Amino acid sequence: MTAVELLRAELTRAARELGAPDPIEPALDRPRDPSFGDWTTNLAMVLARPLGMKPRDLAEALIARADLGRAGVRVADIAGPGFINFRLEGAAVAGRLVEVLRAGAAFGTSDAGHGTPVVVEFVSANPTGPLHVGHGRQAALGDAIASLLGSTGWAVSREFYYNDAGAQIQKLGASVQARIVERAGGALAIPEGGYHGEYIAEIAERYVAEHPGDPAGHEAERVREFAVAALRVEQDRDLQAFGVRFDTYYLESSLYTDGRVDETVTALQQAGDTYENDGALWLRTTAFGDDKDRVMRKQDGTFTYFVPDVAYHVTKWRRGYTRAINVQGSDHHSTVTRVRAGLQALRIGIPEGYPEYVLHQLVTVVRGGEDVKLSKRAGSYVTVRELVDDVGRDAVRYFYLMRRADSQLSFDVDLARTQSEENPVYYVQMAHARMSGIFRVGEVDPASVTGVGVDFGLLTEPDEWELINALVDYPTMVSAAAVALEPHRLTTYLHETAELAHRWYHRHHVLSVEPALMAARLTLARATQIVLGNGLALIGISAPERM
RNA sequence: GCGCCAGUAGCUCAGUUGGAUAGAGCAACAGCCUUCUAAGCUGUAGGUCGGGGGUUCGAUUCCCUCCUGGCGCGCCA
């Protein structure tokens, strides 16, 4: 048992002896100010009312009854309105570095998920244009969430859903066709709601070059397929540049060709919550929390987009994913209720909260002090590729993950470019590089540092204790971030820990001190290197040995 | 009008599920390189946590209400 666990047990026993009603679960937190101690509890304040005592008196009684020495507590004192602060023995704090060294790359992982299959769907852009900065945020978020789940014991699959069917694709084809005709000297208007971007003209040019038999673009279907294929290739390149890989790609068109859309409609009709009205087929989604019923099959006989959406999520369930997470822009949030309602209406045992959603607020791009309009159809946007080329993959990823998903993100391209050298990501990477530098200069193999035979009592500097506490808290932070599906906790943690590492590095030397202390500090340098490296790897950012 | 998400330092944003004197980066100002990388460290300044009520030992955090901004509210995706 670690010191914290022993401490919690002792406090529980003491509280029970004082007559506190079960359940007693003393909260042990890190104090806001590290000088207060290693751990703090508000137990005396929580129990003051039920026990009819003043918080500070109760705190004294708790301290007197608990066997704090057994938990490695050196000092316990009462502060403020009734906090009890604990300072542990040096060896109890620093000795935990051994856990980090022993686990190495596995430090911070757990089996909380018990190998349960979970599918994380993200990006899922229509193949109607290159990936823009909003997709970039999804790519960073989705990939990091998948990594978090993977490192906490879930069997994760990253999935990309291509909306390669429907009206938007028709318009894409027609748009390209219009450009082809234009090149041939004719005139054909780009359809209402079509695509005007430069890339449309480029695709038209390539089509003509590769299809000499159809210089005027008469073969509409072939043009459309060519455009979709071309854009998928482009999107794949963008994702590759960003370092994101998917395990599976699911095509919306396949839902039609293999009959799953029809099956789903039939199943919904049989389940009983559908009705016909005005020549359309409706689903009674209001029975499942929606504010109005939704059309499934339009008057013209085609399906609304939400039908294949439901069919698609049925496949996730059927493929064994008892948990599904969708990362989407908040502009799609109206689909949440609808898709869930459709799945519930099938009555096939899918849980109510299936799938889970991580909705992120939109990304605005600022360039030259002004907002850049992100409109695919007007042909003006900033792509992920541009961003990555400008400031680098690591920086882009880090920037995307610095903020909570549900806070708006304004990406100042100029700032990201000009300040690339003072980018926060370099701060974290530099801390890792500095730890690596110690081993390089000292000609010590990091892998040889095991902590065996080290006198951890020699690590007595407050700077060292703060750093050690941060390092051993890493697994707790990862677990919490995974449960909350909040990768931004990682960047926050990494920055804080890097700050402690820089300070320690600056104030205390490792290689120029007596051998016993050097051995102890090498374990700290090694543990820091491991934790920063593991954290960066988790969010897909490199951890350089030198910079 | 209804729903979702936000409002914290000049700017961009954190705030460990209700705790102590609210933090970081950038921007501003003042210092620190003969020692493992100055892509670093130290210090100063900067706040009615959108406003107002409520819940309790205690609220940036929970509840109510108003204000402001973003996004939704199609037989578009």
Side-chain angles (χ1 to χ4, degrees), chain A residues 37 69 75 78 179 306 331 337 387:
Chain A
V75 184
I78 305 165
R179 290 300 186 209
F306 114 92
D331 54 335
T337 310
L387 222 44

Side-chain angles (χ1 to χ4, degrees), chain A residues 490-531:
Chain A
L490 274 162
T491 50
T492 303
Y493 169 87
L494 285 171
H495 194 275
E496 287 171 357
T497 304
E499 183 176 10
L500 296 173
H502 280 302
R503 185 181 302 153
W504 173 69
Y505 177 91
H506 187 261
R507 291 180 177 171
H508 311 288
H509 269 248
V510 176
L511 299 177
S512 55
V513 297
E514 59 273 24
L517 180 58
M518 182 175 95
R521 286 186 173 165
L522 278 172
T523 62
L524 181 50
R526 174 62 178 149
T528 304
Q529 185 191 37
I530 288 170
V531 170

Side-chain angles (χ1 to χ4, degrees), chain A residues 234-254:
Chain A
E234 286 299 304
Q235 291 186 352
D236 285 348
R237 280 193 196 140
D238 292 352
L239 290 167
Q240 205 168 350
F242 202 42
V244 176
R245 291 185 182 282
F246 287 88
D247 300 298
T248 47
Y249 293 87
Y250 207 100
L251 271 59
E252 181 190 5
S253 57
S254 75

Side-chain angles (χ1 to χ4, degrees), chain A residues 260-320:
Chain A
R260 292 185 191 278
V261 170
D262 289 329
E263 274 175 33
T264 301
V265 173
T266 305
L268 283 168
Q269 285 178 305
Q270 286 172 350
D273 283 304
T274 61
Y275 59 91
E276 303 234 9
N277 190 28
D278 290 339
L281 180 66
W282 297 69
L283 181 67
R284 194 171 285 110
T285 54
T286 50
F288 305 95
D290 205 352
D291 56 353
K292 59 180 81 165
D293 290 343
R294 304 292 168 176
V295 169
M296 295 169 62
R297 192 175 57 223
K298 296 179 270 186
Q299 285 179 336
D300 67 6
T302 61
F303 296 109
T304 56
Y305 72 94
F306 114 92
V307 176
D309 255 13
V310 172
Y312 170 49
H313 282 88
V314 170
T315 75
K316 288 184 183 175
W317 179 256
R318 299 262 194 242
R319 283 183 281 154

Side-chain angles (χ1 to χ4, degrees), chain A residues 74-93:
Chain A
R74 181 159 56 89
V75 184
D77 47 35
I78 305 165
F83 291 99
I84 308 175
N85 295 327
F86 304 97
R87 173 63 75 189
L88 303 182
E89 296 290 349
V93 174

Side-chain angles (χ1 to χ4, degrees), chain A residues 133 136-137 140 242 387 396-403 409:
Chain A
V133 292
R137 189 174 194 183
F242 202 42
L387 222 44
V396 175
R397 274 198 183 232
Y398 194 90
F399 265 98
Y400 273 133
L401 295 177
M402 280 198 307
R403 293 141 169 99
L409 185 155

